[in-house]
Structures are given as C-alpha cells and as structure tokens.
Amino acid sequence: MKRRQFIKSAVAGSGMVLAGLAAPRAISSQSRSADSRIDILLNEPIGRIAPEIYGHFAEHLGGVVYGGIWVGEDSKVPNVGGIRKALVEALRRVKPSIVRWPGGCFADSYNWRDGVGPRSQRPRRTNFWRDAPEWPKDAPDGPWKYDTNQFGTNEFLRFCRLSGAQPYLAANVRSLTARDFYEWVEYCNSPAGTTTLSDLRAAGGERDPFKVRYWGVGNESWGCGGNFTPEEYAAEYRRFTEWVPNYGVEPAFIGAGPNSGDIDWTRRFFTKMNERRALGRMWGWALHHYSWNVSGGRTTDWRQGKGDALKYPTDEWYELLHEAERMESLLTDHWSVMGETDRQHRVKLVVDEWGAWYRPGTEAHNTHLLGQQSTMRDAALAALTLNMFNRHADKVAMANVAQLINCLQSLFLANEDKFVTTPTFHVFEMYAAHQGGQSVRTLCSAPRPSYSRNGQPATIRGLSESASLADRQLVLTVTNPEATQPRLAEIAIRGASVKSIKAMVLAAQDFHAHNSFETPHSVEPAETKIAAPRAGTLVHEFAPASVTRLQIALE
Ligand code: AHR
C-alpha cells in the first residue's frame, strides 16, 4: 500500500479492528498480524497529571511578545486591549494551564518596575537579546531590540486572564536584589489599598491582587542567569526566598535547575540547600532540555550541530526524536539525585523549557529571533515528550514548552494580521484531554525504527504512549515515530470493558508537512468514531509519523 492510500484509510477508517471478533470494517490491517502491543493497567495509578504539565513560555525575545502577543491598542490587528485577539482565542482551545514570563535569559536583565505605571511614561531599555548572532539579516530596530516596556506585569496578567492560564513569573536574580523580588510579589499580591505598590497596580487598572503563586528564582543560573556555581546559586536562592510576604497565597518557588544532563548541578545544589535545612523553601526544580543536535555525535558545537527546521533527511527525523527521548532518563536521573537529600520527594520537577531548536533560516519574519517553522516532526517530538511527562506524573509538576509564538517549537506563528496554528498546537489541543486525569501504567512493546547515525546503525523507541483515566473516560495517546511504516498494535485494557471509542489522528502525507500563512490547514487532525468493541483486544493501525488520541469510554 502506498503511503498516501495508507494514511487515507488510517484516518478515515481510523484503522481499528477487534482481534478475535467480527471485524467492524474492512481495512488492510486485518490481513496482517499485530507487530506491537500496548497494555493499559487501569489498576496501577501513577499520579494525577498536573494540568501545569501543559504549560507555555513567553519571553521578551524576537517576535514572541512584540508582534506576537502584543500588537498595541491602536493596531489594525484585531486585539483586546493591545493583546492579539486571534492568539487568545486559539490559546484557549489548548487549555493553557500556565504561562511563564518574562524569560528565559531576559528575566535576569529585566526590571519589573520598567513595565508598570502609565504606558506612556515607561522607559525604553536595551533588550538582552539585541546582540544575538542569530538575528535574521536586516532585522530592523524596534521593541524586540529596545524594549518599550509596553507589555509589563499588568498586560501579562491580563493576557493570562483572557487565555485562562495561571501566571508563572521568573525573577531577576543576576542583576536585581532580593528586595526587588519581594516588592514584585508585593506589587502583584498585596491586597487593594494596603501598600503603595498595590495603589500603583490599581492605578494601572488592576485593583484586586493578581494572586500569583508560581515564582521562578532566576533562570539558568549556571549560565546567562549569573554563571554561578551550584553553591553560589544556593546562597542566592536562600537570600531571595528567606523572607517573602505571603498575602494568603503560599508562594511556590521554583529553583533554576540543570541544563539537560548536568547531574552535578542538581546534586551540589541540593546538598548545599540541605546543609542549611532550606529545601522546604522550594516547590519545584526546573530542568531545561532542548533537542537540537542532529549531527549524530559528529559534533557538540551549539551552531554546527543544529539542523534545518524544514529540510531534513529521514535520519535527521530520527536523530532529533532520539534527542527528545533523552527527557525520560533526565527525569529519572535528576529525580533520583534529588531523592538523595529530599528523601520524601517534596520538591517536584518542573521542565520549564523544552522543545526543538533549529538553526536560523525558517523564521516567518525577520524580527523573529530564534523563530522557526514547526512540522510533523515537531508534532511527534511534542507528543512523545508529553507522553513522557504523563508517564512520570508522580515526578513532573509543571512543564513549559519553549516558546509560545514566533520562536522555538511554537504553537503559533504571526506577523501583522497573519496568524497560523502549527502542528505543535494540534498536539496540545489533542493532549488537553489528559489534564487532571489519573496517569495509569502502560506497557508497550513495538519494533524500534532503525536508522543510520553518522554511518552507524541506530534505533529509537517504537510506539510512544501514555494513558490517563478520569470519570471512566480513558485517554490513550500514541506517537508512531516510524517515518514511513504503519504499526499495527494490539491494545489491551486491563480492568474494564469498553463502551465507546473516538479517535483523533494527526498525520500527513509528507513528514515535512507544516502550516504556513499561505497554507494554514496543511496539517490538521481528523476525528472519527469507532464502533465499540464487545470483547477481546483492540487492534489499531497507527499511521506512519503520526500522533493519535483514543478517547475510550469505559463501562
Ligand atoms: O528559549 C530561549 C532561551 O533558551 C532562554 O532564554 C534560555 O533560558 C535558554 O537558554
């Protein structure tokens, strides 16, 4: 069967048959036997899937804020008080639990005072990213290089409210003081009329406190956030969190954790904090992991190792997903090191930056520093990463894909009044069904796709899956990373029988497929209804390079 025909039948007929029973539809998979198997163990709960795992990140970087979120009240682009209307409407569809702001590296250069008070009086400041070598050619000056501070705390909080997200603010540890930090908390959370800062907030139109709960204590403190040693950062962390007013909102402090596999950073920080009995002052430990090196081990150079967002050979498809798969061992490795000192595991993992990072060249506009296109490969990467977070729901309390719009692994691309959703957006919309569900254990065996890694044979995980249960509704999401092969899988649900099934499939005829301003609907999921099985094991054919969600109502 040709790939084109296969995808048509997999999506239209949804590829579901029942082993051992009369087949509900005639599809090609009936003549083959399953090569994969997924067991869903309903009686083995892992933990509640925190909605915050489905979080976002917006930094004052290139076209994320200025031109992406913020267009200004006088703009011809439809807006709600200066905020892009189309973005708010689309973002609501993915149930954005949380948005992290204002950075990123930018956070450690940002003075929150610049972004409050009358907009006309706010200062212009040089943006942290002004001198980045990645700027597209001829990028003009503008608020992305010289921040006009038109988008500040009140505007961000309004954006969160409009979108239905909670705010997560990242404080400046490198270049401001602990006092500046707790005064930002005071500005946001002190009750109306109680402090000069609450009056300032009210003068900006926000009488009632914002009740911000999540506070990041710096960002990448091992690098742009101060180039600290773990011991130095532990001292800063304690200074910043030793006294912070609590206005009836228990602050959830998040420490700036490791770069990918830097176990040493985690161990030394936790050890130092434990010596001062200060671990109780931390809610989350933030890990960052980007998938960027597609060189197959040829180089570890940050620029040389990157590939193109749109033009990639099959081996690069696999290699990038292989990079993303590292997330699983990062979660378990850091978790076990955290447990050496935090034996009760009170501190949870927060992956507040993750996603694919390509070399420049596919940005939708020349103001979009680090802007890149997002294809079916990014959809697969997002889906298998979210599956890992779901499978580790006992460890991961929050995650934020980097970044929301016009940047790395974005859900949206926008320029002036043009606006499009990417395949990553569709994955988030499909996976929103997991939010708040009970993650249950799954066992999956599937052939591992093989490829050539720098001339050597290599493989990655076959099907990637996760399952959650809420009110007798089971959600199973599965990514098939096989670039050209479908996978026929038996799916056994242990502990219940099935009432009805709905399937949603995101797949494309070409694994480079993406949406653009000109072709906004090239990649879109298709939903189908499937006859409820009466007994036996489900058999489902997963399309090549696809993401599938099965919503299974249980008896
Ligand atoms: O997301 C882009 C940058 O990547 C962030 O500012 C920084 O935290 C990370 O290095």
Side-chain angles (χ1 to χ4, degrees), residues 57 59 61 100 103-107 128-129 219-220 222 224 259 288 290 302 353 357 370 402-403 407-408:
F57 171 38
E59 178 166 7
L61 189 171
R100 176 176 182 244
C105 292
F106 175 84
F128 174 90
W129 292 98
N219 169 75
E220 297 195 347
W222 41 265
C224 63
N259 182 20
H288 288 182
Y290 286 101
W302 179 242
E353 290 184 28
W357 192 326
L370 309 188
Q403 299 197 13
C407 197
L408 312 169

Side-chain angles (χ1 to χ4, degrees), residues 230-403:
E231 292 77 15
E232 288 165 347
Y233 175 60
E236 294 299 325
Y237 183 95
R238 292 195 306 272
R239 190 211 314 276
F240 269 66
T241 57
E242 180 61 31
W243 182 79
V244 177
N246 171 339
Y247 300 99
V249 188
E250 188 62 45
F253 295 126
I254 296 167
N259 182 20
S260 284
D262 187 356
I263 289 293
D264 195 46
W265 178 265
T266 295
R267 179 174 282 122
R268 285 169 55 188
F269 176 85
F270 269 66
T271 303
K272 207 69 202 164
M273 289 286 282
N274 200 36
E275 279 169 22
R276 306 290 302 163
R277 301 265 174 272
L279 278 172
R281 257 188 269 141
M282 189 155 62
W283 178 85
W285 181 236
L287 158 74
H288 288 182
H289 175 59
Y290 286 101
S291 305
W292 59 274
N293 192 343
V294 288
S295 76
R298 269 194 310 278
T299 177
T300 53
D301 183 274
W302 179 242
R303 297 218 164 81
Q304 303 292 320
K306 294 206 186 87
D308 192 89
L310 287 175
K311 296 189 197 106
Y312 43 86
T314 310
D315 288 342
E316 262 186 39
W317 158 281
Y318 287 122
E319 187 60 15
L320 192 85
L321 298 184
H322 168 72
E323 285 285 291
E325 275 186 346
R326 287 181 54 214
M327 184 66 83
E328 187 131 40
S329 60
L330 295 177
L331 298 179
T332 51
D333 290 355
H334 287 289
W335 185 253
S336 89
V337 168
M338 287 156 72
E340 292 169 4
T341 38
D342 179 25
R343 296 198 188 281
Q344 308 300 318
H345 276 302
R346 280 195 307 261
V347 181
K348 302 293 181 207
L349 276 166
V350 168
V351 187
D352 61 16
E353 290 184 28
W354 65 269
W357 192 326
Y358 306 110
R359 62 171 170 250
T362 63
E363 50 286 301
H365 190 254
N366 65 5
T367 57
H368 296 182
L369 175 67
L370 309 188
Q372 57 189 34
Q373 251 299 355
S374 180
T375 67
M376 269 310 296
R377 180 171 57 163
D378 299 275
L381 186 151
L384 65 85
T385 302
L386 293 170
N387 282 337
M388 289 187 270
F389 294 155
N390 290 343
R391 289 200 300 267
H392 294 278
D394 52 334
K395 308 176 185 69
V396 186
M398 188 200 292
N400 310 73
V401 60
Q403 299 197 13

Side-chain angles (χ1 to χ4, degrees), residues 185-204:
V185 177
E186 183 177 300
Y187 176 84
C188 290
N189 290 355
S190 59
T194 58
T195 66
T196 303
L197 289 175
S198 73
D199 291 349
L200 181 59
R201 184 186 69 225

